[in-house]
Amino acid sequence: MTYDFSGKNAVVTGASRGIGEAIARTLAEGGARVCLVARSADALEKLAKSLPNDPVVIRADLASSDGWKPTAEAIVEQLGPVDILVNNAGVSNREPAGEVTEDGLDLTLSVNVRNLILLTNALSDSLKSRRGNVVNISSISAFSGSIGQIAYAASKGAVNSMTRNMSIDLGRSGVRVNAIAPGVIDDGMWKTAFDAGLDREKTMSRMAKLIPLEGRWGSAQNIADAVAFLASDKANYVTGQVLRVDGGMIA
Ligand code: NAP
């Protein structure tokens, strides 16, 4: 099913690869004018060239404590009012108990939580002016732990809590706020790990045992399709939800 996003302005953070790239492509193909945000300018420019509806590219570092500020200003200036904000940028660093570092924790919380909240906050008047909506990309790590994911799991738990609370604050202005918690996706962070030498076959078959739905890993497009639903008018009575797209892993 395709959704009609004609005339909508959509922001996708972390659009330079993986899940964010698939989300940006899906929204653009549905008719939205997309604003692509990340640090890798070359990757964003390359993606922009392949998309319809005159996309906007904004190079931003959402690890710095005030990264949200120039990003929000550039979005309002270059894209205009925001109908759809997809907070997808995220980092995961493996630091098991006893080895959690201040730098690792600060980076994870800064990208996954601090800038996500402050960017959404800064764009809330814009979202209100369009009765727009927000989709945050969380993770099943918020529901179920795995080795070394202490900071990441905590950050995604915060994303879920923020989603519920922001939906209450913005609901009276007609702005919906939802989240998607992906399971294991054969792209993005996992692709980077496989490219760096992690044994793809062994990892995939080990994780497959935990996935009720045919032992199947998800695709970036599975997540993009769920984002498209939540961002569309078809979901106009859905807010404050965290939708797990995980092949039943947490079921
Ligand atoms: P990915 O391939 O590593 O992509 C992460 C994106 O975030 C990139 O576009 C990256 O762009 C951007 N980003 C990272 N640090 C940034 C920073 N300091 N400033 C601005 N942008 C930054 O990961 P992915 O797998 O597609 O993940 C996307 C989202 O899905 C994340 O929130 C992740 O937690 C979530 N998720 C993924 C999976 C999975 O299995 N892949 C599962 C559950 C949840 P630059 O490097 O160009 O800045």
Side-chain angles (χ1 to χ4, degrees), residues 188-209:
M189 291 170 171
W190 283 102
K191 181 175 184 304
T192 304
F194 294 144
D195 289 350
L198 179 68
D199 189 321
R200 181 184 163 87
E201 216 166 290
K202 264 194 198 153
T203 309
M204 289 201 71
S205 65
R206 181 171 55 83
M207 300 297 280
K209 294 189 182 84

Side-chain angles (χ1 to χ4, degrees), residues 16 38-46 57 59:
S16 59
R39 290 167 304 177
S40 310
D42 288 352
L44 294 180
E45 293 290 355
K46 192 171 165 215
V57 166
R59 194 190 168 280

Side-chain angles (χ1 to χ4, degrees), residues 65-82:
S65 65
D66 59 356
W68 60 273
K69 206 167 182 213
T71 309
E73 285 165 5
I75 289 168
V76 170
E77 195 183 305
Q78 293 178 46
L79 182 72
V82 178

Side-chain angles (χ1 to χ4, degrees), residues 13-20 37-41 43-44 60-64 87-92 107 111-112 137-140 152 156 181-190 192 217:
T13 70
S16 59
R17 59 177 180 270
I19 292 171
V37 180
R39 290 167 304 177
S40 310
L44 294 180
D61 186 356
L62 298 172
S64 71
N87 286 311
N88 164 77
V91 292
S92 160
L107 174 67
V111 177
N112 297 7
I137 305 302
S138 176
S139 168
I140 53 162
Y152 183 71
K156 295 301 187 178
V184 285
I185 304 302
D186 187 15
D187 207 323
M189 291 170 171
W190 283 102
T192 304
W217 281 50

